[in-house]
Structures are given as C-alpha cells and as structure tokens.
Amino acid sequence: MKPKKLKLLLRAASALKANLTGGYLMKEKMKLIKGRFLRPVTRTGFLAAVLITGLLSAPYASAKDKKTLENEFELEAMTVTAQKQEENVQEVPVSMTVLSGNHIEDKNIDGLWDLMDHVPGLMNFDTGMSDMFSQPSMRGITAPSNTFNSSVGLYIDGVPILASPGFTAGLLDIERVEVLRGPQGTLYGKNSEAGVINIITRRPDNDMYGKVQISAGEDNKRLMTGSVSGPIAKDKLFFSLVGQYDEKDGFLENKNLGGHDDDRKRYYGRTQLRWTPSEKLDISLIASRLAADEGLSAQTPNAAMMARNGLSPLPEKTTYSDLRPYNDTYNDIQSLKITYDISDSMSLTSITARKVTDWKSAGDFDFTDSHIYHIYTDSQYSNLSQEIRFNWKSDRIKSIVGLYADEHMNDHLQGTIMTDDSRVPTTKRELGGDSYAVFGQIDYSLTQAIHVVTGLRYEMQNMDYDDDILNIDDEESWSKVTPKLSLQYRFSPHHNVYATVAEGYRTGGFNNTAVDLDYRTFEPETLWNYEIGIKASFLDNRIIVNASVYYMDISDMQVEEYVTPVTTYITNAAKATSKGGEIEISARLVKGLDLTAGFAYIDTTFDTFKDANGDYSGNKNPFAPEYTFNLGAIYRHSSGVYISSDLLGYGDTYIDKENNNKRGAYMIFNAKIGYEREKFDIYLYAENLFDKEYNAMNYYNYYNNYSPPREIGVQLAYRF
C-alpha cells in the first residue's frame, strides 16, 4: 500500500475510533465533553469498519478531523426567539443575556432568584414576602411593592406573568432563558418597560430521555428532581414529565415556639403533550404547578419598630412570636400553543394561557408574644390571555403582526387575627379588568449590512375596582402607543453595532385605602430608552463580546408619596433618569474551559421628587444597585473531572428614597467540583462558600432583612 494511502487509512482509523469510543451520552453536553466510552467495540467490528472507511472515505475523514478540532474551541451561536421569531442571538439588536439549559444545571440555578445573579443589570430584592412574589429591578427600574405590578415581564413558553403575585418559575428541564434589557413594549406590551425574562422549556421529541437528581446540603437541604420525555407515537405524539421537591430549614430562630420561622418546602411539576400531525402543524399543551409551603421571610423588626410598640430590641435573627407564620402559595399555569407553517416564509402562532396564583398566609409582625400585630391574607390572582401572531419573511424583510387580549381578576383579602384566633377582615377588594392590543414589527434590510427594525403597539387597559370595606366602586381606563426604532450595521458576519430608541410603560392602578378622590388612582409610568450596542466575536468565534450603553428618561414615575406626614399613597410625583451600560464576555481558549464575565453600571437618580416629608431630588432610586457583576468558569476534562466557580457581586443599594439606609456592596463565591460519566454524575458544591452576610438593615425604616447563610452539599445524578 502506498505511504499516502496508508497515512489516510491510519488517520481515518483514528477518527473512527474516536467516534466509536468517545462522546457523552447526554445530548445537550456532547459538544462540551469528549472521550467518554459509550459501549464496547469488538476488535473484528473495529477492523472491518476501519478498512471500509479507509478505502472509501479517507479524504472525508481527514476533513472531519479538522472540523472537529475547530468545533472544540468555537462557541455556539445560540438561536433565540426574543423577537418572537427564530434568530441568531448575535444578530438581534437588543441587549440580552441567554442562558442555556446546560448552563442553568451547571450553575445550580434552581429558580429566578438564582438566575438573576448571572444577568448584568438585573436584581431581585427580598421585600419580606414569599419567594413567590418578586419585584425585580432592571437597569435600576422597579415597581413599588404595593402596586402588585412589575417593571419586568416574565414569559414562560409565551405565557405572560406581568404582576408580582406568582412572578416565579420552576427552572427544570429548560431549553434556554432569554433576558432582554430595555423596554420591550412593542412585542410584549405593558409592564415590560425595563425588560423581559423569556423562559423556554425543552420540547419533547423522538429521543427518549430521563434523569433523576438528588441533592443534600447544610440546614437539612433536600432537593429531588426527575424528568422523562420521549415519543408516544414516533414523529407524531410526544410527552414530557418533570417534578421537583425542595426543602430546607430556616435560620430565623423562634425563642418562644422553638424551631425556625423561615423553614421552606416547594413542589414543582410540569407535563407537556406535543402533537405534530403533519410537518406544518405543531401543537403543545403544557400544564404546571409550583407550590410553596414557607414560613416568614428572614425578617425581624429593628429597634425603632420595637420601641414604637413599647418593647425591647430583639437579638439578631431572633423572634419571640406566639404565632407560627406560614406562606402557602400555589401557582398554576396551563397553555395551548399552536404553530402552523403556511409556507416556508409564512407561519401562524396562537397561544392561549391561564395562570392562577392562590396565596394564604399568616404572620406575627410584632415578632413577640404580645399579640399586637397578627395579620392574615387569603387572596387569588388570575389571568386569562390570548395571543395570535402572523410571521412573514422574504429575502429582505422579516415581519410580525399580532393581536393580544387578556382578562384578569385579583381578589385580595387581608385582616387581623384576634387573641381568640378569630379573623377580622380589614381589606377586602377586587381588582379586575381586561386589555387589548394590536402590534407589529418589521426588520428590513436596506443593504446586506444595514438593517432597520421598526415596531408599534397600541394597547388599551380597562380596570374595575371594588372595595367592600371602604364601599368603593370605581373604574378607569388607560391606552398607550409604544413605538420602537432600531438601526443596525453589520461590519461582517461577526461584528455589528446597533442604535435603538424605544418607549416603555407600566400600567396604572388604584390606591386601595384612598378615600380622597385625588389619590384614588395613579397613572401609568412611561420612559424613553436611548441605547447603543455592539455584538462581536473574535478568533474564529472563540471569544464573544457584547456591550451596550443606555440613557432612560422616566416620566410620571410611580413612587410612594407621603401626602401627609403619616399617609402614603402611590402617585406619579417623580421624574428620573437612568443611565449606564452592560458588557458580557464569553471565551473558550483552552480545550474544555469556558469562561464568562458580565458587568453592569447603573445610575438611576430622581430629577424631581418631593412630598410632605421632604425633597428627594438628586437621590438614588431605591433598589437600584450601583453595579452588578458575575465572573464564571467551567472546566471539563475527558477523564470526567468537572470544576466550576462563580464570583457574584452587587454594588451599594439604597432601600429608601431618603437614601438614609442601604445594603452595602458585597460579593459571594460559589464553587462546584465533580466527576461525570456516561450514566451518572456526582458533585460537591458550595453556595456562598465564605458565608458572606449582605443584610439590608432598616428596610422601610422598621425591618431588618437577613441574607441566607452558606450552603455546602452533594449532588447525585443518574440518566437513563
């Protein structure tokens, strides 16, 4: 045999052997881990395959080897649906962070609170309520907690969650999470003025897959998850089932009743049935429940609150409550998504969704055995929505036009628990209504390098308000047009810049305790966002750098205003500006090693704001950290060794409009080390390894909110 032919044959044999004996069974991690044995290969079978491959395909094998080597270092360009159509994330003129399902698993991200630590410019502050109620801050913009609205929209498989009740999600068996910064009102509508969190769960297909994972850690942490998916009828009908149980002891010690007042248990389940009767039609029915059985948040009164009640200060992280607190929350979501491909260039999508959050709670808010301030809540928040959109594309145009409608009802009951355990309602109100919207967006290629994206949305919001205690029966309507214009210039397939101008808004509402007609309602908050960004990759896609700077002009800002020295309502008394920027870097310069870094600078300041108690002009907006950052590394070796670490941090964050109290800057360090094989993984992990405290003292001038302690534990995973 000629030397050249022998050389090609040996090269082919090497390539084939790598293919037969290497790889990683988990489909999602095959591109990350090489060199795992899948199954034994007989000597006869191997030699036969070598001869066939060498004689017939040697030149192809040589090229394949080279391509495989390149792919070991190339970072994947993820496909996203941030603009409600499939696009390369590097070509979307929006500042956004995308976390894959693998990344979420690697980083032990169990919920939205953990997720936000890895997104520049996004933060969730513990307000002392259940974790099922979140008030995220994006680019320094957040909604006052008692509006029950949000400045950031949350979408789970297209289902909108636009208010703080039930603003949470189970992050199990996730395909990816897309976090969009800046107003997204054109495509997403109300309450997405600062950004959107878009969660896409994994769709079942012909591949049968299953996984079970168990974690155990400090403070009696127990986490069990399981998932299974696959075909019922090949190419036609598929299913998936996921479930999770999470339990952990608290650290807020009750000296009166014993135990801890902030213990928690959570349950999550989701099922999906997917039907593809033809190549053009795709139908998915999804149902999920996230239930929480929690105690009080890790919050106690400060010395001022105790003195106000004529009591002595409590020791740190301690209560003497005579009522065992509870927060029982159930978040149910059902959705039906239908996609029909009319042709290669046209598609029609319908998303019908129902979301219901039930909340029952009781708490001792004097935190002593004096029975001064015992409060209970029994509420339900529901939303029924329908969206229909039509997508069309050609060589130079990508367009979307759609209709949206929803109907919501919030029944809120709150009262006082008397000494004989009877319950006297103090608040009993219903807030209902509906909204309608029409929207459209066009991405037009002026040239191969220059793209213009323009969009417009008109939305009408109607609200009805009934208060049985105060005998109030009122209604209000608001309408809004939100435009968007982006100009994008692509220097090359790997480098582009964009400039965007967009308007966002957060809906208005009612002050539930107002008897003065001047303060019965508050108006929508609006802002204009001006943004410039760059998205670039270098060294054959081994390094990706995305950066943006922005300026936001905020009008009719919704704030808590003292209309008298002791009476507070939500009003539109403030005007503010927010400016800053974000940068994210991903790199894969060494085989098996992925590096990530993110940083956001945030400066959100009141231009004008004063009330009966003072003038706050020039002060920082509460819950707007000066900066956020995350540094991460993941290393996988072909032997199965796994190592990862994360350094996460936030800058100073004021917690009142007076800027008298703040949570100081802090950093926490997470780490994980393990061994991964074909069927199983085992890890040792640490969250907040150095037990850093980042407490928020004097929250609302009367409470101290304590940060969770370190957690060290082990994880076991088995795939089948």
Side-chain angles (χ1 to χ4, degrees):
M1 185 176 291
K2 294 182 180 180
K4 183 176 181 180
K5 188 70 172 179
L6 179 61
K7 182 177 181 181
L8 290 174
L9 180 59
L10 292 174
R11 184 177 296 170
S14 176
L16 183 58
K17 182 178 180 181
N19 286 334
L20 291 173
T21 62
Y24 187 61
L25 268 191
M26 286 185 65
K27 181 179 179 182
E28 296 81 2
K29 295 184 178 180
M30 287 185 68
K31 295 182 180 180
L32 300 178
I33 307 174
K34 304 296 180 181
R36 305 260 181 103
F37 287 94
L38 294 179
R39 59 179 64 90
V41 180
T42 64
R43 183 184 301 272
T44 303
F46 174 71
L47 291 177
V50 167
L51 289 175
I52 294 172
T53 306
L55 294 173
L56 301 179
S57 309
Y60 171 77
S62 176
K64 186 177 180 180
D65 271 352
K66 182 178 180 181
K67 184 65 176 176
T68 300
L69 182 61
E70 292 173 352
N71 288 341
E72 288 178 354
F73 295 94
E74 183 179 353
L75 292 168
E76 291 185 65
M78 296 189 68
T79 298
V80 298
T81 52
Q83 298 191 115
K84 302 195 175 184
Q85 55 191 330
E86 291 188 349
E87 298 174 288
N88 184 329
V89 64
Q90 292 301 105
E91 297 177 357
V92 180
V94 175
S95 175
M96 61 187 300
T97 298
V98 182
L99 300 176
S100 68
N102 290 331
H103 193 95
I104 290 171
E105 290 182 4
D106 289 339
K107 300 295 183 180
N108 284 359
I109 298 174
D110 295 326
L112 283 183
W113 287 64
D114 296 331
L115 176 84
M116 295 182 190
D117 290 336
H118 298 265
V119 180
L122 180 60
M123 181 197 75
N124 203 18
F125 185 85
D126 185 1
T127 61
M129 300 178 70
S130 164
D131 284 358
M132 301 281 275
F133 290 71
S134 297
Q135 295 283 30
S137 171
M138 177 85 80
R139 289 183 169 179
I141 308 299
T142 188
S145 59
N146 51 357
T147 66
F148 287 138
N149 287 327
S150 176
S151 60
V152 178
L154 173 63
Y155 286 78
I156 305 172
D157 290 321
V159 178
I161 300 174
L162 307 175
S164 60
F167 196 103
T168 187
L171 297 180
L172 181 61
D173 203 34
I174 298 297
E175 181 177 319
R176 66 184 182 279
V177 177
E178 306 165 356
V179 182
L180 291 66
R181 287 175 285 265
Q184 306 299 325
T186 300
L187 292 179
Y188 293 93
K190 60 184 177 182
N191 296 0
S192 59
E193 63 165 345
V196 162
I197 302 171
N198 195 22
I199 298 175
I200 298 94
T201 62
R202 188 172 285 125
R203 295 193 304 172
D205 52 28
N206 281 323
D207 293 330
M208 195 70 192
Y209 172 77
K211 181 179 179 180
V212 176
Q213 180 171 298
I214 300 174
S215 302
E218 290 183 285
D219 295 323
N220 204 24
K221 168 66 178 283
R222 287 160 285 174
L223 176 66
M224 293 176 284
T225 66
S227 62
V228 61
S229 65
I232 298 175
K234 187 177 180 182
D235 298 329
K236 295 295 182 182
L237 189 61
F238 319 94
F239 81 99
S240 69
L241 293 170
V242 301
Q244 184 179 71
Y245 172 77
D246 183 8
E247 181 176 3
K248 187 176 181 179
D249 292 346
F251 58 91
L252 196 65
E253 186 177 3
N254 189 319
K255 294 288 190 179
N256 185 28
L257 300 178
H260 301 92
D261 281 351
D262 57 332
D263 293 341
R264 75 163 194 242
K265 294 179 183 178
R266 295 174 191 162
Y267 313 82
Y268 176 66
R270 186 180 73 242
T271 181
Q272 181 174 174
L273 191 64
R274 182 184 174 206
W275 183 36
T276 56
S278 69
E279 292 183 357
K280 294 180 176 293
L281 186 59
D282 196 323
I283 303 173
S284 292
L285 179 63
I286 307 173
S288 68
R289 163 167 276 207
L290 180 58
D293 178 6
E294 303 172 314
L296 188 72
S297 180
Q299 180 186 79
T300 63
N302 63 7
M305 178 68 165
M306 297 301 290
R308 181 182 181 182
N309 293 327
L311 302 170
S312 300
L314 293 173
E316 190 177 80
K317 302 178 185 177
T318 301
T319 78
Y320 287 84
S321 299
D322 56 351
L323 171 68
R324 182 69 73 189
Y326 64 84
N327 269 297
D328 295 340
T329 315
Y330 304 91
N331 202 41
D332 293 290
I333 298 176
Q334 301 91 35
S335 66
L336 175 66
K337 181 177 181 179
I338 304 173
T339 301
Y340 180 68
D341 294 328
I342 302 171
S343 67
D344 291 340
S345 60
M346 293 184 289
S347 66
L348 190 64
T349 301
S350 169
I351 300 176
T352 307
R354 175 182 177 269
K355 176 250 179 188
V356 178
T357 299
D358 288 293
W359 178 36
K360 293 179 173 60
S361 69
D364 180 357
F365 290 94
D366 59 77
F367 300 91
T368 70
D369 58 1
S370 301
H371 206 107
I372 297 174
Y373 198 32
H374 288 193
I375 301 296
Y376 76 94
T377 301
D378 188 351
S379 303
Q380 184 181 86
Y381 310 88
S382 63
N383 190 74
L384 180 66
S385 65
Q386 174 66 57
E387 179 173 295
I388 299 175
R389 63 177 184 265
F390 173 77
N391 290 56
W392 176 75
K393 63 182 179 180
S394 66
D395 292 340
R396 303 184 67 175
I397 296 177
K398 291 187 295 184
S399 63
I400 302 172
V401 63
L403 299 171
Y404 173 84
D406 70 27
E407 182 178 71
H408 66 269
M409 176 60 71
N410 299 341
D411 294 325
H412 183 66
L413 175 64
Q414 184 173 298
T416 301
I417 303 175
M418 310 306 290
T419 53
D420 60 355
D421 289 335
S422 63
R423 302 193 172 197
V424 178
T426 56
T427 299
K428 187 178 182 182
R429 65 177 186 265
E430 294 181 356
L431 180 63
D434 48 54
S435 63
Y436 307 91
V438 56
F439 60 91
Q441 180 170 293
I442 297 176
D443 183 335
Y444 180 66
S445 302
L446 293 174
T447 68
Q448 189 174 1
I450 301 175
H451 289 246
V452 176
V453 179
T454 182
L456 197 67
R457 185 185 189 99
Y458 172 78
E459 190 155 9
M460 167 69 76
Q461 173 79 51
N462 303 309
M463 283 190 181
D464 299 316
Y465 176 58
D466 294 306
D467 193 312
D468 293 343
I469 304 296
L470 299 177
N471 294 317
I472 297 174
D473 185 358
D474 204 351
E475 61 182 29
E476 187 60 86
S477 297
W478 298 278
S479 62
K480 186 63 181 172
V481 176
T482 49
K484 174 183 178 179
L485 177 64
S486 293
L487 180 64
Q488 185 179 43
Y489 182 73
R490 298 175 183 174
F491 294 95
S492 72
H494 304 290
H495 303 81
N496 72 79
V497 297
Y498 66 89
T500 297
V501 179
E503 187 178 17
Y505 83 104
R506 182 165 68 237
T507 188
F510 290 87
N511 283 303
N512 62 291
T513 60
V515 293
D516 188 336
L517 291 179
D518 291 337
Y519 297 99
R520 183 72 58 81
T521 64
F522 52 91
E523 296 299 308
E525 175 179 303
T526 61
L527 65 82
W528 280 96
N529 179 67
Y530 307 90
E531 183 174 329
I532 298 174
I534 182 171
K535 296 190 174 186
S537 61
F538 306 92
L539 300 179
D540 295 326
N541 236 38
R542 298 181 185 183
I543 300 176
I544 295 177
V545 179
N546 296 335
S548 61
V549 294
Y550 64 88
Y551 177 89
M552 293 195 293
D553 186 8
I554 309 161
S555 302
D556 297 321
M557 192 174 192
Q558 295 173 6
V559 291
E560 289 185 287
E561 177 187 356
Y562 280 97
V563 296
T564 73
V566 295
T567 304
T568 301
Y569 294 136
I570 300 296
T571 72
N572 303 91
K575 183 174 172 41
T577 56
S578 181
K579 53 184 179 290
E582 304 98 10
I583 183 170
E584 290 186 288
I585 302 173
S586 302
R588 185 180 294 164
L589 301 178
V590 178
K591 182 179 178 181
L593 178 63
D594 284 0
L595 303 174
T596 57
F599 179 82
Y601 169 72
I602 304 166
D603 181 6
T604 307
T605 305
F606 294 125
D607 296 329
T608 58
F609 179 25
K610 61 181 179 181
D611 62 16
N613 285 358
D615 189 341
Y616 317 106
S617 302
N619 286 5
K620 301 296 183 182
N621 191 38
F623 314 117
E626 184 180 1
Y627 60 81
T628 75
F629 73 85
N630 59 279
L631 299 172
I634 297 176
Y635 177 69
R636 280 187 165 92
H637 191 267
S638 59
S639 65
V641 172
Y642 170 93
I643 303 173
S644 70
S645 62
D646 288 282
L647 184 64
L648 311 169
Y650 293 88
D652 289 342
T653 304
Y654 288 103
I655 57 178
D656 54 40
K657 60 190 177 184
E658 297 86 1
N659 286 185
N660 292 330
N661 301 294
K662 68 180 180 181
R663 184 182 66 185
Y666 70 91
M667 297 183 296
I668 60 174
F669 182 75
N670 299 339
K672 186 176 177 182
I673 184 171
Y675 183 65
E676 300 175 327
R677 296 307 298 164
E678 171 193 334
K679 292 287 188 180
F680 72 90
D681 305 325
I682 181 169
Y683 306 99
L684 175 67
Y685 72 90
E687 297 177 1
N688 191 9
L689 177 61
F690 301 111
D691 205 17
K692 173 67 177 178
E693 290 191 353
Y694 45 99
N695 306 322
M697 314 303 281
N698 303 315
Y699 173 60
Y700 264 97
N701 294 318
Y702 289 119
Y703 296 99
N704 295 331
N705 289 4
Y706 296 102
S707 60
R710 176 192 64 198
E711 178 182 310
I712 295 178
V714 295
Q715 287 180 346
L716 296 173
Y718 177 75
R719 290 174 295 279
F720 55 92

